[in-house]
Amino acid sequence: MEVQQNNMGKRITLYDEYYGFLENPGKFNFDTNPHRLIIKNYALRTGDKILYEFYLKEVFPDRAIEELHSFDKDINYIQQMGREELALWLIDNKVKVLQSDINTTDKDAIFRIVHVSDTENPDTYLLQQDGLILNNVAPSELIAFPYHVWINTKLP
């Protein structure tokens, strides 16, 4: 667990160098706050809700209760999959686009399904990827990763 926390600390430092969220917390809203997303990612992967709860109560007290309720639901859908299992799951669920919480190439990123209707072109969701958080990725890219991938299996 200590190694995981060290990784989270290093990730916070790296992402802060890119975004400057520690110096300018007002620059980010709840949904796009890199600091919150990194801590939530850690909490979902490790089951350490206490750290995330403390963070929310300190930084986003008006959103803490609702977010912790959502967290309790989401944690039941988080799982790690290897390439074959992931490919089958993506096909079975007709997934067209996924979104990462943290950098898409980070082994700890958790991906969730982005709803794309049958009338929409999935490629439009893959354009203009910028930054280290909340980037969309095609299922084919995810399957190519040489490691197990974290997935939020909750369907939209």
Side-chain angles (χ1 to χ4, degrees), residues 26-39:
K27 183 178 172 184
F28 301 92
N29 67 30
F30 179 82
D31 293 326
T32 62
N33 187 296
H35 197 189
R36 182 189 73 81
L37 292 169
I38 292 167
I39 293 172

Side-chain angles (χ1 to χ4, degrees), residues 57-119:
K57 287 180 177 177
E58 288 293 314
V59 181
F60 295 105
D62 56 322
R63 301 286 301 264
I65 292 172
E66 179 184 345
E67 175 61 12
L68 290 169
H69 181 66
S70 176
F71 178 91
D72 288 339
K73 290 179 183 176
D74 283 346
I75 200 163
N76 295 313
Y77 293 99
I78 305 301
Q79 59 182 345
Q80 205 172 25
M81 294 184 194
R83 187 177 295 171
E84 289 180 27
E85 180 184 11
L86 177 62
L88 290 172
W89 182 83
L90 292 167
I91 291 167
D92 288 347
N93 292 290
K94 299 177 176 83
V95 177
K96 298 175 185 174
V97 176
L98 298 113
Q99 184 178 76
S100 65
D101 55 352
I102 59 177
N103 192 355
T104 56
T105 59
D106 191 316
K107 289 182 181 182
D108 291 337
I110 299 172
F111 295 86
R112 70 171 187 81
I113 298 172
V114 174
H115 176 72
V116 178
S117 72
D118 292 336
T119 60

Side-chain angles (χ1 to χ4, degrees), residues 7-76:
N7 288 344
M8 181 182 60
K10 289 176 185 174
R11 190 172 289 124
I12 288 170
T13 301
L14 175 70
Y15 283 48
D16 184 53
E17 287 175 9
Y18 185 86
Y19 288 107
F21 55 79
L22 294 177
E23 299 81 19
N24 302 299
K27 183 178 172 184
F28 301 92
N29 67 30
F30 179 82
D31 293 326
T32 62
N33 187 296
H35 197 189
R36 182 189 73 81
L37 292 169
I38 292 167
I39 293 172
K40 182 177 183 179
N41 170 284
Y42 169 82
L44 285 169
R45 288 182 300 98
T46 64
D48 186 356
K49 179 182 172 181
I50 294 169
L51 178 66
Y52 189 48
E53 183 175 5
F54 177 79
Y55 171 81
L56 288 171
K57 287 180 177 177
E58 288 293 314
V59 181
F60 295 105
D62 56 322
R63 301 286 301 264
I65 292 172
E66 179 184 345
E67 175 61 12
L68 290 169
H69 181 66
S70 176
F71 178 91
D72 288 339
K73 290 179 183 176
D74 283 346
I75 200 163
N76 295 313

Side-chain angles (χ1 to χ4, degrees), residues 114-146:
V114 174
H115 176 72
V116 178
S117 72
D118 292 336
T119 60
E120 292 180 290
N121 181 351
D123 291 341
T124 60
Y125 287 82
L126 302 173
L127 301 173
Q128 300 174 326
Q129 298 300 310
D130 188 28
L132 303 174
I133 60 167
L134 303 175
N135 286 308
N136 295 336
V137 63
S140 58
E141 288 183 56
L142 215 55
I143 294 169
F145 289 167

